[in-house]
Each structure stands twice: as C-alpha cells, then as structure tokens.
DNA sequence: TTTTTAAGATGATTTATATCATATATTGAA
DNA sequence: TTCAATATATGATATAAATCATCTTAAAAA
C-alpha cells in the first residue's frame, strides 16, 4: 500500500500516490483498489528499468540536454563541461537503461543493497 | 558586464547578478563598479574549479547524499542505485574538482569547446 | 564636483515543485 | 447487498526557485 512505501522513506503518502499514478498508467507499476489492494510489480513490470521510470516522472531531456543549459550546444559545439562530463553521464545513462527493477530487487534480496521498507 | 554575459545565455541580467554576488564574496569572481566596470577573473580566480562554484551556489550535499534521497543510506548501507552509480558520480566529482576555470577557458581559446559569449 | 555607469543589497513577484485535502471508483469481506 | 479499505482524480495550498523591481554604493569621466 502507498502508506507502507511512503512512511519508511519519509515521503507524504498522497504525494507518493500521485507520483505512482502515471507509472501505473504507463504499465511500469501495477495496482489494485479496495481492501487488500495496493501497488505491486508483476513479471512484466519487473523488466522495466530505472530509465523507464525517469522518462515518465521527469523527462528524456535530463540526459541529452546541455549540462550548462546552453541551448545552442551539442556534440559538435560542445560547451567546456561537455568533454569532461559527457562520458560519465553516458555511463550513468547506460547503467540506468540496462538495470531492470528485477535485478535491483535481487541485489536487495541478496543483501548487497538496502531499502528502508 | 552582467548584461554581456546574461544576454547570450538567456539568463535574466538581474538574476545573473544575484548569482554572481556570493561568488564575488567568496573570491571566485572579481568585480569593479562604475563605468568601465564589470565582472572579471584575475589570476587567482582562474585557479578556482567548477566544484568551488557549485559549493557556493548549491551545496556540498549534491555529491555526497543518497541519489534516492534516502537519509539512512551510506557506503555501508547502500541503496540499490548506489553500487551502479557511485563510480560515475565520483568521476564527475573528480573532474569538476580538478579542472580549473583557466583550463576550461583554454579549451575555449583552442576551439575545442564553445561558449555563446 | 557632478554626472553617469555599473555592481551590491534587499525585498517583492512569479513560476515550478511539493504537499495537502477532498471527493469518486473499485474491490474484498461481512 | 452493504460496508470498509484502498487506489484514482482533481484541485487547493505551501514551499522553494527563479525572476523582477528598486534603491544604494563605488568609480570613471566630463
Ligand atoms: S554541450 Fe554542454 S554538456 Fe554537452
Ligand atoms: S546510498 Fe543511495 S546513492 Fe549511496
């Protein structure tokens, strides 16, 4: 239930619920209403990645736009930070795109990562 | 002058000036008032790094706090994203800490990087 | 010395984000 | 079939970030 997720991570329940709604709509999270209801992830959901979530909640631009917010900059006209940062940004993007929620959950199950849930 | 910087990068002049003030106070940027005045960087300023700027404008936490904003997480209790992202984050931090403004300006002078100024 | 130009300081306003509130829809259980 | 529990939807409010406005201070030039 929203409450079970929101409380341990100190996010207001209503706000979490609002954030989850577009994820349900985009089939990244599943839900059932009523008693014994709540949010869950089915087999298909678990194959989604962190990037899938980011693209729904925020936007695709986070990983493609200039890190100095210069709108005329791109790979051909790189800003001074581009060359020193773009490799790391791409690494992060790749990691978030490759890693499925299932894999992340597995790490938690193995005790290699922790969640306050 | 603030105007000469703000216009080409589409940042309101008054807002840019406000952002520059703490940088002047922290001796990262220099300024002179009056006619022919404006902002500039002296020899000492040019040895400052991007991290110096970030620490003044934003805060140190950006590079040390949990990327899932979990307050109980740290190196011993890593969240699921920690392991896959922390290396890249540290890379970015190192780059921003090592690179001086002088070096970045040199890249622009060489034509390896571009600024709309 | 006066005027003009630009930064410095401060507070108000706007805009975006986060949070709160309330009403509706769905489902399991009594 | 009714009730209670929980997600869904929508709008209002609060907080933070960005932007605007106004005044003061310093310095160059006339
Ligand atoms: S052009 Fe600025 S980060 Fe790529
Ligand atoms: S514990 Fe979350 S990023 Fe390090």
């Amino acid at each position: 239930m929203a409450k079970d997720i929101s409380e341990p991570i100190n996010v207001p329940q209503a706000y979490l619920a609002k954030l989850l709604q577009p994820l349900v709509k985009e089939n990244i999270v599943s839900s059932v209403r009523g008693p014994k209801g709540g949010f869950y992830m089915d087999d298909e959901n678990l194959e989604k990645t962190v990037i899938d979530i980011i693209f729904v909640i925020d936007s695709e631009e986070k990983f493609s736009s200039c890190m100095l917010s210069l709108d005329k900059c791109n790979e051909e006209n790189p800003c001074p930070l581009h060359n020193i940062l773009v490799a790391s940004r791409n690494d992060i993007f790749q990691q978030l795109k490759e890693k499925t929620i299932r894999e992340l959950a597995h790490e938690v199950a193995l005790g290699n990562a922790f969640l306050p849930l």
Side-chain angles (χ1 to χ4, degrees), chain A residues 102-114:
Chain A
R102 188 191 303 281
E103 290 171 320
L104 293 175
H106 191 225
E107 287 301 302
V108 174
L110 289 176
N112 297 330
F114 302 90

Side-chain angles (χ1 to χ4, degrees), chain A residues 15-117:
Chain A
Y15 183 44
L16 179 79
K18 195 176 238 185
L19 289 173
L20 283 172
Q21 281 166 31
L23 295 178
V24 171
K25 194 162 292 179
E26 294 294 328
N27 194 32
I28 292 168
V29 171
S30 300
S31 68
V32 287
R33 295 199 251 198
K36 289 287 174 181
F39 297 95
Y40 67 100
M41 300 191 77
D42 64 19
D43 245 46
E44 194 186 342
N45 299 148
L46 287 168
E47 292 306 316
K48 296 293 165 65
T49 68
V50 184
I51 278 293
D52 292 328
I53 298 171
I54 292 173
F55 281 9
V56 170
I57 302 293
D58 297 325
S59 95
E60 196 147 351
E61 268 100 67
K62 287 283 164 66
F63 289 95
S64 57
S65 61
C66 174
M67 290 175 268
L68 286 182
S69 302
L70 302 171
D71 45 304
K72 289 159 203 153
C73 288
N74 53 54
E75 198 65 43
E76 289 79 45
N77 254 43
C79 72
L81 288 188
H82 186 102
N83 296 320
I84 69 172
L85 297 183
V86 74
S88 297
R89 177 167 74 169
N90 287 343
D91 282 351
I92 290 175
F93 183 67
Q94 273 303 116
Q95 291 291 323
L96 296 178
K97 194 162 72 178
E98 287 170 6
K99 217 63 152 188
T100 63
I101 304 302
R102 188 191 303 281
E103 290 171 320
L104 293 175
H106 191 225
E107 287 301 302
V108 174
L110 289 176
N112 297 330
F114 302 90
L115 280 176
L117 298 185

